[in-house]
Amino acid sequence: MVISYPILRWYGTFRCTGPLPSFGELVIHFFVFRILEEFGNYYGHRILHMPQFYKYHKKHHEWTAPIGMVAVYCGPVEHFFGNILPVSAGPFIMKSHLIVAWLWELLVLISVTIEHSGYHIPFLFSAEGHDYHHRTFTSWYGTMAFLDVLHGTDKPFSNTVHGKRQFISCSFTPVKESVPEKMSSKHE
């Protein structure tokens, strides 16, 4: 904060006075935030998986079956480049109102906790992709999947039963019941 405060003040980011943003402004800002976060998260995560940088990410992957708190279980280098920078880039670039930035960061914290929870909660994004990533370390680097699809890093995951479960469920039926593991041939 000691270093960032003068930079933020010079740049003029985060409006703190004046009227609160309209709902339309909030939607536009969140759309831009989400796109910037996906690019920062995907490419930052891919870089952290490169052999020369993996030492900064290894701590996070000590958990192969993640729980919510693992979302921020990492060292300071990874936390800055892999967590803080991708999430903060949007509000910084858009010079958003401080309330918008706080709301965005709150939603990201809730989302990343769910993503590391192992649960597929109805009406929310699935944790299957990130769970698969923690088991294999080789695919599903982003959060929204469009960059994984673009770069082909979704293929190992998409071809599994876990990939078939990667959707927003609008049902209270557990996804593992809706999309069960394949029965072995002796049971079929």
Side-chain angles (χ1 to χ4, degrees):
M1 289 186 73
V2 172
I3 296 169
S4 64
Y5 179 73
I7 295 169
L8 295 174
R9 189 171 169 143
W10 167 80
Y11 183 68
T13 192
F14 299 134
R15 298 184 326 254
C16 299
T17 59
L20 291 175
S22 68
F23 180 74
E25 182 181 351
L26 183 74
V27 169
I28 291 167
H29 281 230
F30 273 29
F31 177 78
V32 171
F33 297 172
R34 192 67 181 101
I35 299 300
L36 290 172
E37 188 228 357
E38 176 65 8
F39 275 88
N41 188 281
Y42 179 85
Y43 292 112
H45 200 177
R46 282 291 299 270
I47 289 168
L48 286 169
H49 274 266
M50 294 170 72
Q52 61 269 39
F53 298 109
Y54 190 69
K55 62 185 173 190
Y56 300 113
H57 190 51
K58 186 176 182 176
K59 183 176 186 175
H60 180 74
H61 275 283
E62 289 175 6
W63 293 78
T64 55
I67 59 171
M69 291 303 292
V70 173
V72 291
Y73 182 69
C74 58
V77 172
E78 176 184 1
H79 190 58
F80 180 76
F81 288 105
N83 296 338
I84 293 173
L85 203 57
V87 172
S88 301
F92 182 79
I93 290 168
M94 297 292 288
K95 295 186 177 188
S96 300
H97 194 284
L98 188 59
I99 296 295
V100 174
W102 283 347
L103 183 58
W104 167 247
E105 290 174 10
L106 174 66
L107 291 174
V108 168
L109 282 172
I110 291 168
S111 173
V112 78
T113 301
I114 291 169
E115 191 174 89
H116 284 84
S117 73
Y119 291 107
H120 197 139
I121 300 170
F123 308 103
L124 297 176
F125 287 106
S126 171
E128 293 280 342
H130 204 73
D131 281 359
Y132 185 83
H133 173 77
H134 271 265
R135 282 193 299 277
T136 65
F137 310 143
T138 58
S139 67
W140 205 263
Y141 296 100
T143 56
M144 292 180 11
F146 73 86
L147 289 174
D148 282 290
V149 170
L150 179 69
H151 294 293
T153 53
D154 69 311
K155 286 185 178 39
F157 167 71
S158 297
N159 295 327
T160 68
V161 68
H162 308 288
K164 309 278 184 274
R165 293 178 182 154
Q166 182 67 22
F167 61 90
I168 297 174
S169 174
C170 296
S171 167
F172 291 106
T173 302
V175 173
K176 289 184 179 181
E177 287 181 21
S178 302
V179 184
E181 298 280 343
K182 247 187 176 173
M183 303 277 293
S184 67
S185 58
K186 66 181 176 183
H187 294 293
E188 293 181 351

